Amino acid sequence: QVQLVESGGGLVQAGGSLRLSCAASGRTFSDYTMGWFRQAPGKEREFAAAIRWSGGSTYYADSVKGRFTIARDNAKNTVYLEMNSLKPEDTAVYYCAAKHKYSGGYDYTDTRYGYWGQGTQVTVSS
């Protein structure tokens, strides 16, 4: 069982930066692949970034590649999403998600993660 709490969202102008944090508790953090997803009103929830449980591999949606960076600090049970060069189309609720390394059969871009945070709003003004 894992509980996830996001923080760091807010209002930023286009071209600016934000750093989101996701604090995890409940189980061994290092056993979980962590992902960030986002959802704008009226749209499907979409994959943004993920980092493997082993920590060495990261994955990004084409829409954020080169602008966003995902990282984890296992000592702090926290995963981060550094967002740079933000665009109005990045406006969404951002969700942190966790998937145990033994949970199976789905790609890291799939929304079928076992645990989700409550979301944090990111608004990018033009």
Side-chain angles (χ1 to χ4, degrees), residues 35-79:
W36 285 98
F37 293 76
R38 63 188 188 179
Q39 187 169 25
K43 296 186 179 296
E44 296 289 319
R45 188 171 299 186
E46 66 176 6
F47 168 77
I51 184 166
R52 285 187 64 195
W53 62 269
S54 56
S57 298
T58 58
Y59 311 91
Y60 298 94
D62 289 342
S63 58
V64 308
K65 190 182 294 290
R67 300 187 299 118
F68 291 12
T69 302
I70 188 170
R72 67 191 298 159
D73 186 340
N74 288 349
K76 297 181 179 180
N77 286 1
T78 301
V79 62

Side-chain angles (χ1 to χ4, degrees), residues 3 15 31 47 102 104:
Q3 294 80 48
D31 287 344
F47 168 77
Y102 293 145

Side-chain angles (χ1 to χ4, degrees), residues 92-107:
V93 176
Y94 282 71
Y95 296 91
C96 177
K99 177 167 62 177
H100 195 272
K101 65 181 180 180
Y102 293 145
S103 67
Y106 304 112
D107 188 77

Side-chain angles (χ1 to χ4, degrees), residues 2 4 29 32-35 96-100 112-117:
V2 176
L4 305 172
F29 182 68
Y32 290 83
T33 291
M34 303 297 297
C96 177
K99 177 167 62 177
H100 195 272
R112 286 171 286 187
Y113 281 58
Y115 306 96
W116 293 86

